[in-house]
Amino acid sequence: MSAPPAGRPLPVVDADSAPFWAALRDRRLMVQWCGTCDRHVFYPRALCPHCHAELAEWVECSGSGTIHSYTVARRPAGPAFAADVPYVVVLVDLDEGVRMLSNLVTDDVDSVRIGARVAVRFEDVTDEITLPLFEPAPDA
């Protein structure tokens, strides 16, 4: 595995997000923690969006959450995604209090519901990039 499917964009790894992407390769979902205001922060950044303190600490998340919103894509977002339709784009409220945009992996796109419990799963896209996707929680 060294290249994503043809035409698929890859995330840009920068200094702020490098610890996030490195943890995903190890099958760990990490977010930042602000020790000044005691809040989790996502997406990766240099300053806390709540109190503007510098962010340096990373903490592991449970990977569990609930669906805040979703859409079912029945037309691909370009030719590189044609084989995936229909697919679910999901906004997940993680139990740690941050919201993450991703995909929900399911064989039944019509059963997806707001408020449903989900769990993270990891998809290796290249040797360097692993994506955090979600699936219905096993106990849901």
Side-chain angles (χ1 to χ4, degrees):
M1 160 192 16
S2 59
R8 290 241 176 138
L10 287 175
V12 175
V13 178
D14 60 18
D16 292 331
S17 67
F20 173 75
W21 296 109
L24 289 172
R25 283 194 311 273
D26 294 334
R27 303 293 196 261
R28 295 179 303 128
L29 182 61
M30 305 285 281
V31 297
Q32 290 170 295
W33 172 255
C34 179
T36 302
C37 67
D38 294 326
R39 295 173 84 166
H40 290 95
V41 175
F42 185 82
Y43 60 89
R45 59 190 96 191
L47 298 176
C48 175
H50 309 291
C51 71
H52 307 291
E54 288 189 35
L55 292 169
E57 187 175 355
W58 287 86
V59 295
E60 190 165 358
C61 286
S62 65
S64 298
T66 58
I67 296 175
H68 175 80
S69 187
Y70 72 95
T71 188
V72 177
R74 297 184 189 277
R75 292 186 181 177
F81 299 93
D84 297 331
V85 292
Y87 57 88
V88 180
V89 178
V90 67
L91 199 53
V92 173
D93 286 336
L94 291 175
D95 291 346
E96 289 76 14
V98 296
R99 191 169 282 164
M100 183 177 286
L101 182 67
S102 186
N103 288 102
L104 182 73
V105 179
T106 179
D107 292 330
D108 186 4
V109 298
D110 295 321
S111 70
V112 178
R113 297 288 179 263
I114 290 173
R117 296 289 296 166
V118 294
V120 72
R121 69 181 271 175
F122 302 95
E123 180 179 307
D124 296 323
V125 180
T126 70
D127 292 336
E128 295 80 31
I129 298 293
T130 298
L131 296 177
L133 305 179
F134 290 87
E135 60 190 358
D139 54 359

